[in-house]
Amino acid sequence: GPALLFVKTSQGKEEGRRFYACSACRDRKDCNFFQWEDEKVSETRLAAREEYNRNHQPSLTHRQNVDRYKNFVLLPLSKRRFCQECQQLLLPAEWEKHSDHQFLCGITTAQLKSPSQLLYPLENKKTNAQYLFADRSCQFLLNLLIDLGFRRVLSVGTPRLHEMIQSKASQEEFSVRSLLLDIDFRYSQFYTEDEFCHYNMFNHHFFGGEAARETCRKFLCEENGERVIMVTDPPFGGLVEALASSFKKLMAMWREAEKEGRDNKEMPIFWIFPYFFESRILDFFPSFSMMDYQVDYDNHALYKHGKTGRRQSPVRIFTNLTPSMIVLPEEEGYRFCTVCQRYISSGNQHCEICNSCTSKDGRRWKHCVLCKKCVKPSWFHCNNCNCCTLQKHSCEKTEVGCFVCGKAGHKRSACPSLSRS
């Protein structure tokens, strides 16, 4: 899809040269697209680029994959094979072509309904970073959505939540539906065009064109846009600015359901992201609050619930719903703070001076009178730096100014020059 416009800056210089690069891949080894904004591209290079793009398209369309799936489920269990190397469901006529590959036999209906466990997770941190919710977090999210009265879930990059909803769809008393938007085209083997859209959340690009965009719009606008929520779990290395831009465009789609009186309203959202991105998210969505619930993942070594100290999962839920509505499980130690009117973790103590439950990482934070705020328990006030920091730190680092303008007192992300441009 469309590239993003970046700027290459030098220390102490406000002006930088702008360039286009891939929106999804941050490593040139995965996608080597690069073009200066003011560069004139020759016809030969444009033709070569088009040829490259054509050669890197999926071999089958979404419609062809859906037809193949229909034929696959009709096969007896003994003839259901999945190629692990090609990550593809195999029909008997294709066995010979994959004869020297590793494959799984006897693919059950339960496996077909849980494709995230059948497919290898794409764990390249600079491209896909496909970490999957643990059952604990997935079940909690689904129960919470049901308790809040939502009946449609736009699952943006949350395949495991989507498949949990899909697997329960046949139950009579279950009335929640989901539409998965994901950049992983392998899911088109398991879901119809009404259940999955090939989508890039960094540039709001629907690979299926206008038909896929319309599928998403209709899903959001059913019942005049009521009882729908977006749940998103982006790669943590992704640019918050790009993600926020796409999410605002999805909100604009939702507003089309009923233009009267909805101009200033926001579609309900659960944005799942590490707590240390809180200030960046609030820059773009001031109405959001961060919940204390620790989201954990099956295939991530560090992001696990139940660990202590700094080993706890840093991933949280950011939402524009009223915090008091988000009920967190008491059996896991969460409790309600009547002053803050929200559920907090067991280690989060209300600070009378800040008048807030200030902990972000699950540990009990302490108040620094000089800094006039609560800080991490491992931090101490440094008189040279005039702020709280780790005990073993180098004071010289504080003399280095902003990377963009060279001035002291702020970081690159908060540079006034950057926000002006």
Side-chain angles (χ1 to χ4, degrees):
L4 291 183
L5 185 61
F6 297 88
V7 61
K8 198 180 278 283
T9 56
S10 301
Q11 178 77 40
K13 292 184 179 178
E14 288 190 21
E15 293 298 318
R17 194 173 179 192
R18 284 143 62 108
F19 65 94
Y20 291 100
C22 180
S23 61
C25 304
R26 292 179 299 129
D27 195 326
R28 294 277 164 78
K29 292 175 185 174
D30 297 311
C31 179
N32 61 7
F33 179 84
F34 181 94
Q35 182 182 314
W36 293 111
E37 184 189 23
D38 52 5
E39 181 182 358
K40 289 187 177 179
V41 184
S42 67
E43 291 295 326
T44 306
R45 193 170 154 202
L46 282 173
R49 189 181 291 167
E50 287 297 321
E51 179 66 20
Y52 179 89
N53 287 345
R54 272 196 300 274
N55 292 336
H56 286 75
Q57 295 302 310
S59 58
L60 297 167
T61 65
H62 194 164
R63 171 44 46 193
Q64 287 171 323
N65 274 335
V66 171
D67 291 339
R68 284 166 52 81
Y69 182 84
K70 289 176 182 175
N71 292 327
F72 188 87
V73 294
L74 294 174
L75 295 171
L77 206 61
S78 60
K79 292 192 175 183
R80 290 184 183 179
R81 292 187 181 182
F82 177 77
C83 179
Q84 290 181 293
E85 291 186 39
C86 301
Q87 295 285 281
Q88 185 181 332
L89 297 172
L90 298 180
L91 297 174
E94 300 161 340
W95 288 359
E96 191 176 344
K97 195 172 25 170
H98 299 259
S99 58
D100 58 342
H101 293 178
Q102 292 284 324
F103 52 81
L104 297 174
C105 297
I107 303 299
T108 63
T109 302
Q111 285 176 296
L112 291 173
K113 287 186 176 182
S114 303
S116 71
Q117 297 184 26
L118 195 60
L119 300 166
Y120 287 137
L122 304 173
E123 293 181 355
N124 181 335
K125 291 180 182 177
K126 291 189 175 181
T127 306
N128 306 99
Q130 201 174 55
Y131 298 114
L132 304 164
F133 292 146
D135 280 344
R136 162 193 166 267
S137 290
C138 207
Q139 194 63 62
F140 164 75
L141 283 168
L142 182 54
N143 290 342
L144 179 61
L145 296 173
I146 292 169
D147 291 343
L148 290 169
F150 292 107
R151 292 294 172 262
R152 296 190 316 289
V153 181
L154 185 68
S155 303
V156 184
T158 57
R160 189 150 283 179
L161 177 64
H162 173 75
E163 70 186 35
M164 184 175 277
I165 293 172
Q166 292 292 105
S167 66
K168 294 175 183 286
S170 57
Q171 299 173 11
E172 284 186 22
E173 69 279 3
F174 191 79
S175 57
V176 180
R177 290 189 298 116
S178 173
L179 172 64
L180 175 64
L181 306 188
D182 203 287
I183 201 166
D184 188 352
F185 189 65
R186 297 177 301 171
Y187 285 107
S188 66
Q189 298 178 86
F190 303 91
Y191 300 122
T192 67
E193 291 100 324
D194 291 331
E195 297 167 335
F196 168 73
C197 294
H198 192 200
Y199 176 77
N200 182 352
M201 69 173 84
F202 290 106
N203 59 6
H204 188 58
H205 180 67
F206 287 88
F207 293 88
E210 196 52 45
R213 184 184 295 273
E214 183 60 16
T215 296
C216 180
R217 193 196 66 79
K218 281 184 177 177
F219 183 84
L220 291 174
C221 295
E222 282 180 33
E223 299 182 45
N224 287 327
E226 298 298 326
R227 302 203 294 180
V228 64
I229 185 170
M230 183 178 108
V231 181
T232 182
D233 182 33
F236 302 149
L239 282 171
V240 173
E241 294 92 327
L243 293 167
S245 174
S246 294
F247 299 160
K248 285 181 179 180
K249 286 171 183 173
L250 288 169
M251 277 186 178
M253 262 191 193
W254 168 78
R255 286 196 192 97
E256 291 176 23
E258 189 179 74
K259 292 178 182 176
E260 295 297 320
R262 190 171 274 178
D263 290 346
N264 297 318
K265 283 189 177 180
E266 290 182 340
M267 173 173 62
I269 291 182
F270 282 172
W271 180 343
I272 294 159
F273 226 49
Y275 71 81
F276 37 81
F277 283 102
E278 181 182 23
S279 62
R280 301 295 294 137
I281 291 176
L282 296 184
D283 282 344
F284 297 98
F285 294 104
S287 62
F288 278 30
S289 304
M290 186 180 81
M291 303 295 101
D292 272 19
Y293 183 80
Q294 291 182 20
V295 179
D296 59 335
Y297 296 81
D298 265 351
N299 58 324
H300 198 293
L302 297 177
Y303 296 172
K304 300 280 188 187
H305 171 71
K307 292 187 177 181
T308 57
R310 293 188 65 187
R311 290 190 164 274
Q312 298 178 76
S313 171
V315 187
R316 303 289 183 267
I317 300 171
F318 293 86
T319 183
N320 50 4
L321 296 177
T322 306
S324 59
M325 296 167 63
I326 314 299
V327 180
L328 304 186
E330 291 182 9
E331 64 272 15
E332 291 184 12
Y334 297 102
R335 55 195 168 76
F336 191 75
C337 174
T338 53
V339 182
C340 295
Q341 284 292 294
R342 70 180 181 96
Y343 279 82
I344 55 171
S345 62
S346 57
N348 198 352
Q349 296 295 315
H350 192 89
C351 174
E352 299 296 338
I353 304 169
C354 296
N355 194 28
S356 173
C357 292
T358 51
S359 173
K360 308 289 184 187
D361 61 7
R363 296 178 292 171
R364 183 172 182 172
W365 285 23
K366 59 185 182 183
H367 191 86
C368 175
V369 178
L370 296 172
C371 288
K372 297 181 181 177
K373 65 178 182 179
C374 285
V375 296
K376 294 179 180 179
S378 55
W379 286 16
F380 297 88
H381 195 87
C382 173
N383 291 323
N384 292 333
C385 301
N386 196 30
C387 68
C388 282
T389 184
L390 288 168
Q391 200 160 21
K392 293 180 180 178
H393 73 282
S394 175
C395 291
E396 289 96 28
K397 288 183 180 178
T398 59
E399 295 171 9
V400 178
C402 167
F403 186 81
V404 177
C405 68
K407 296 175 184 176
H410 62 266
K411 293 182 180 178
R412 180 193 182 284
S413 59
C415 181
S417 305
L418 204 62
S419 55
R420 272 205 305 275
S421 63

